[in-house]
């Protein structure tokens, strides 16, 4: 299969918030999401799943902090709500990660891929878009 065939999550210009850092990190998150779908396609994803999900956890935590720092720097009224959303997403991902059975990860990985699509990607494309497109730090 070609690399393009594995691109379930593709960056498009309508996903741009206008903030260079946020957009760069959102693009990178799509790479991790696509890597997760590749792992999902493996017959025995055990260790690859654990490494990819750990990378996703580290990345989202770092990215959420960057966003919150940007909002704090401009005294954004959206900071509290963004922080609440981020904490909820962190907890949801943590619960799924802690439930991974490395010996039989099939159901867990499908759930994480579904969560990425339903929750994380939606957050990036709707909540972050609305928040970062209206602030002066471009």
């Amino acid at each position: 299969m070609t690399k393009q065939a594995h691109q379930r999550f593709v960056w498009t210009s309508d996903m741009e918030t206008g903030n260079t850092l946020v957009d760069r990190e959102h693009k990178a998150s799509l790479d991790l999401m696509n890597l997760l779908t590749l792992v999902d396609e493996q017959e025995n994803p055990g260790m690859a799943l654990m490494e990819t999900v750990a990378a996703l956890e580290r990345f989202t935590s770092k990215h959420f902090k960057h966003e919150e720092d940007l909002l704090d720097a401009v005294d954004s009224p959206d900071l509290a709500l963004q922080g609440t959303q981020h904490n909820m997403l962190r907890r949801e991902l943590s619960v799924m990660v802690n439930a991974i059975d490395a010996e039989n990860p099939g159901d867990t990985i499908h759930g994480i891929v579904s969560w990425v699509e339903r929750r994380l990607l939606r957050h990036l494309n709707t909540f972050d878009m609305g928040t970062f497109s209206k602030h002066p730090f471009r």
Side-chain angles (χ1 to χ4, degrees):
M1 291 185 162
T2 66
K3 182 178 179 182
Q4 191 67 19
H6 292 291
Q7 295 283 318
R8 180 172 177 175
F9 305 106
V10 179
W11 180 263
T12 58
S13 61
D14 64 328
M15 298 167 84
E16 293 178 6
T17 66
N19 181 281
T20 305
L21 173 65
V22 172
D23 290 341
R24 184 176 55 237
E25 289 185 355
H26 283 182
K27 286 179 189 177
S29 71
L30 293 180
D31 291 340
L32 275 171
M33 293 176 199
N34 282 316
L35 183 57
L36 188 59
T37 61
L38 287 173
V39 170
D40 187 24
E41 295 170 5
Q42 293 180 4
E43 196 164 314
N44 296 308
M47 184 56 82
L49 169 63
M50 300 302 284
E51 291 172 2
T52 304
V53 171
L56 182 63
E57 262 191 314
R58 285 189 307 272
F59 179 85
T60 54
S61 185
K62 181 179 171 182
H63 172 65
F64 291 163
K65 173 139 179 34
H66 288 161
E67 288 185 345
E68 291 167 17
D69 288 347
L70 286 170
L71 294 171
D72 188 38
V74 296
D75 293 323
S76 172
D78 296 321
L79 176 59
L81 185 55
Q82 188 76 279
T84 299
Q85 289 284 317
H86 290 165
N87 288 337
M88 190 179 333
L89 291 167
R90 281 186 196 103
R91 279 192 305 273
E92 290 170 5
L93 182 56
S94 179
V95 166
M96 286 184 289
V97 168
N98 290 331
I100 293 173
D101 177 359
E103 299 297 317
N104 187 17
D107 291 338
T108 307
I109 192 167
H110 297 313
I112 293 172
V113 169
S114 177
W115 175 85
V116 160
E117 196 165 36
R118 286 182 302 100
R119 296 285 289 135
L120 184 58
L121 191 60
R122 184 172 179 218
H123 174 82
L124 301 179
N125 286 336
T126 58
F127 200 80
D128 285 353
M129 179 66 68
T131 299
F132 287 94
S133 63
K134 65 184 174 187
H135 285 289
F137 41 65
R138 294 195 185 284

